C-alpha cells in the first residue's frame, strides 16, 4: 500500500497571500495524483487531477505540480472561501487508492 | 451531470451488518464511464477507500476490508449498494459514494451519510 504524507498538518496564511501545501508518496505514483478540498459538513471536492489539471469550474488560482513522489498544491491568492481541509490521493497503484491525512488551511 | 445520494440506517448495532445504498441520477451505472465507489471518513483513519464496482459487475476491494465487504449494483434501479459485516465501533464513519474515472479520480461524490455503530 502506498502511504501518502501531507505537510504541514496545519497552515496559517493571511487572505491574499500564497499557500503552498505538500504531499509525498512512499513510492512513485507518476502523475496519478489528485487534490481535494473539503469544508465542514461537505463531501470532498475534486480540485486537481493528473497532478496539475484543474477540474471543471476550479479557479485558476489553484495549481498543482510534481511527479513521482513529491507534489505541491499552490493557491496563489487566498480567498475567504479557500480556508478548508485539503487532501491528496494517489490512483497509480490500487487497490487500494490511498489518501493523505490532510492539511488544514486556516486564516492567520 | 451525474449526482449521487447515499441512504440507509444511521445506527447499526455491533456485530450486525451495515447496509447503504447510493442512488445515481443524471447518468446510468450501466455505462463504463465510472467505477462506482464507496469511501468512508472517520476521525481516526481519515479518508479510506472501501471498494468499487464496474458496470461489468467486477468488484475491487480494499484488502484491509475485503473479508467483510460486499458491493453490488442494481441496474434496474440505477443504484449500487454496500454491505459491511460484523461491524464494530471502528466502522463508525461518514460513508460516501463516488464515481471514479481513470483520468479524473473521484468525482462526483455524494453528500455522505453518518453511520454510528453502537448498542
Amino acid at each position: 500500500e502506498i502511504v501518502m504524507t501531507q505537510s504541514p498538518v496545519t497552515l496559517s496564511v493571511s487572505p491574499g497571500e500564497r499557500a503552498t501545501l505538500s504531499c509525498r508518496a512512499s513510492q512513485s505514483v507518476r502523475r496519478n495524483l489528485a487534490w481535494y478540498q473539503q469544508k465542514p459538513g461537505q463531501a470532498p471536492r475534486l480540485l486537481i487531477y493528473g497532478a496539475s489539471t484543474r477540474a471543471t469550474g476550479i479557479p485558476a488560482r489553484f495549481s498543482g505540480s510534481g511527479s513521482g513522489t513529491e507534489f505541491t498544491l499552490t493557491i496563489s491568492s487566498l480567498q475567504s472561501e479557500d480556508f478548508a481541509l485539503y487532501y491528496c490521493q494517489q490512483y497509480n497503484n490500487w487497490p487500494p487508492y490511498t489518501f493523505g491525512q490532510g492539511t488544514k488551511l486556516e486564516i492567520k | 451531470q451525474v449526482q449521487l445520494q447515499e441512504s440507509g440506517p444511521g445506527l447499526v448495532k455491533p456485530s450486525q451488518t451495515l447496509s447503504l445504498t447510493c442512488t445515481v441520477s443524471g447518468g446510468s451505472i450501466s455505462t463504463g464511464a465510472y467505477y462506482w465507489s464507496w469511501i468512508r471518513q472517520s476521525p481516526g483513519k481519515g479518508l479510506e477507500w472501501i471498494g468499487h464496482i464496474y458496470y461489468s459487475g467486477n468488484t475491487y476491494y480494499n484488502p484491509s476490508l475485503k473479508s467483510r465487504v460486499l458491493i453490488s449494483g442494481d441496474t434496474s434501479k440505477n443504484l449500487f449498494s454496500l454491505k459491511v459485516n460484523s461491524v464494530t465501533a471502528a466502522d463508525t464513519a461518514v460513508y460516501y459514494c463516488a464515481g471514479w474515472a481513470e483520468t479524473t479520480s473521484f468525482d462526483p461524490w455524494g453528500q455522505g451519510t453518518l453511520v454510528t455503530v453502537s448498542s
Side-chain angles (χ1 to χ4, degrees):
Chain A
E1 174 175 323
I2 295 179
V3 177
M4 307 301 293
T5 303
Q6 293 185 240
S7 61
V9 173
T10 304
L11 181 61
S12 299
V13 183
S14 300
E17 294 190 340
R18 174 188 298 257
T20 302
L21 291 69
S22 297
C23 175
R24 173 176 292 178
S26 61
Q27 63 189 75
S28 176
V29 298
R30 300 189 292 175
R31 292 181 61 81
N32 295 314
L33 183 107
W35 288 94
Y36 301 86
Q37 178 193 67
Q38 187 178 34
K39 296 180 179 179
Q42 296 183 16
R45 178 176 72 144
L46 177 68
L47 297 176
I48 300 284
Y49 60 89
S52 61
T53 303
R54 281 188 303 276
T56 302
I58 301 304
R61 65 181 181 271
F62 291 90
S63 63
S65 64
S67 65
T69 61
E70 300 284 343
F71 299 89
T72 301
L73 174 69
T74 302
I75 311 170
S76 60
S77 178
L78 280 163
Q79 307 297 303
S80 58
E81 62 267 29
D82 300 335
F83 293 96
L85 274 165
Y86 291 84
Y87 294 95
C88 61
Q89 176 250 326
Q90 68 83 20
Y91 51 100
N92 189 66
N93 285 40
W94 62 275
Y97 304 100
T98 48
F99 294 83
Q101 83 283 9
T103 290
K104 181 180 180 181
L105 181 57
E106 64 176 27
I107 301 175
K108 186 173 182 180
Chain B
Q1 178 181 347
V2 175
Q3 294 184 305
L4 298 88
Q5 177 69 59
E6 305 89 350
S7 59
L11 181 64
V12 181
K13 289 181 167 50
S15 80
Q16 295 192 342
T17 297
L18 179 160
S19 296
L20 295 174
T21 294
C22 181
T23 301
V24 179
S25 58
S28 171
I29 69 165
S30 301
T31 68
Y34 296 101
Y35 288 72
W36 303 103
S37 305
W38 289 98
I39 297 163
R40 68 183 184 181
Q41 185 173 32
S42 60
K45 295 200 72 174
L47 286 161
E48 182 179 33
W49 175 74
I50 300 170
H52 58 206
I53 186 168
Y54 198 43
Y55 80 106
S56 60
N58 289 347
T59 51
Y60 306 84
Y61 298 116
N62 191 322
S64 68
L65 296 167
K66 187 174 184 177
S67 64
R68 297 194 296 126
V69 170
L70 178 68
I71 296 175
S72 59
D74 186 335
T75 55
S76 67
K77 296 180 180 178
N78 212 37
L79 58 79
F80 59 105
S81 301
L82 171 70
K83 292 186 186 298
V84 182
N85 300 323
S86 305
V87 297
T88 69
D91 295 306
T92 294
V94 176
Y95 286 75
Y96 296 99
C97 57
W100 184 87
E102 186 172 357
T103 51
T104 57
S105 202
F106 293 108
D107 182 53
W109 295 63
Q111 66 185 27
T113 187
L114 174 63
V115 178
T116 301
V117 178
S118 175
S119 55

